[in-house]
Amino acid sequence: VSGGLDSSATYAMAVHLQQRQRLPAPAVRGYTLDFAPGTPAHELEYARSVARHTNTAIEECAPALKPVAWYLQRASERCDLPDIPNGAMMLTMLETARAQGARVMIGGYGGDEYTGVGTAGMYYADLLSELQWTGLLQAFRRDVPQLGILRTLWWFWRQGVAVLSPPSIKQFIRNFRSVPMLNPWWLDSRLKTVLAHRRVVNAGERNIKVARHSQRRILRFYEHADLHHMMELSDYRSARCGMEVRSAYYNKCMLQFALSTGEWTRQRGMEHRWLHRQAMRDLLPAMVRNRRDKADFGEMVFMTNEEIRREHLNAVLVRREQWLDKDAIEKLRTAPATLQDIDVRDWVLWYLVCCDAVAG
């Protein structure tokens, strides 16, 4: 129970079913991670508000901080990328729950994807694709008082007309973009060429026939390689603790519901996940139900990278010189590192060490 909308909703619903003797399990208990106050990952006040609202106890566990050697050992065992620091941090929860007799850990994974975290105003593309003129008028009447006429018209154009434009027009506009989607500045020129070629080969969108635009977005989430990689790591992590991980959001019924409903059921102006929040109004405290921010667990990779910089990086740079742009990596190695400045550079450093371990 992180204190976010998804895990809190799952826990509150489980308690609700248990109180009515409809829970298909012997019992349910809540667990949350106890990060230091003032850090971006601290969200105990939200989890504690769920505990008070449900009149239950939610156990607070310290996050697991593993040394780099632990991850390298996992990479050797799996012959694959090891867990990530902001995933391994949950090991204390899993181990505590298992020691107390639990066999399954249920979380809020998938809630973002299927209950409506998308681009603001995306419902205009849905309404246009289905020619719902009455719905468009209602959306305008709802948005103009909140956003103003100019911003509403921009949403209608950018998230409606432009999104549904033919691919040839979209590509023409993309050709004028000054900043590429991702500049792999850390790679050697040979690998940059290989990557650029693969991007061109895989640039075309699959021709998925859909009734409304948001269905395409949901299907992309469902098929996203990174999502499946994270779920594999989650399964591996839980299995090592003798546990099974599940999510109420990753199931056929939830996916079918997401595909069967339009984006206007998930967004209302600046409020995303509208339907989810409405459905939980009696089961969750307002503090959680109306929450708009999310915790940032980047401090876990930041702390791990401190050890990487100190004890592992020099040897990796010697072994993998052919992978990397020397000047770029040298800047990365000597750049001042602070918790407030965590970005893609920290993940480059982390995955460089992981790929080195897998390559052997």
Side-chain angles (χ1 to χ4, degrees), residues 22-87:
R22 293 175 55 198
L23 183 71
V28 60
R29 295 189 65 171
Y31 301 85
T32 192
L33 289 177
D34 180 5
F35 283 90
T39 61
H42 179 72
E43 49 184 351
L44 269 184
E45 65 268 26
Y46 296 104
R48 287 170 177 170
S49 71
V50 174
R52 289 191 298 269
H53 192 82
T54 56
N55 194 29
T56 60
I58 295 177
E59 185 156 350
E60 299 170 6
C61 304
L65 178 61
K66 298 293 186 180
V68 175
W70 183 89
Y71 294 98
L72 300 182
Q73 179 63 30
R74 300 290 89 75
S76 176
E77 290 175 358
R78 298 188 67 210
C79 297
D80 198 353
L81 293 174
D83 207 343
I84 54 178
N86 53 350

Side-chain angles (χ1 to χ4, degrees), residues 153-168:
L153 288 172
W154 167 248
W155 279 17
F156 173 74
W157 164 255
R158 180 63 187 87
Q159 302 304 333
V161 177
V163 165
L164 298 177
S165 299
S168 57

Side-chain angles (χ1 to χ4, degrees), residues 113-114 117 216-224 227:
E113 291 83 353
Y114 301 138
V117 173
R216 192 182 304 275
R217 177 183 68 85
I218 292 167
L219 288 171
R220 283 178 184 154
F221 273 129
Y222 180 73
E223 297 178 338
H224 202 287
L227 170 65

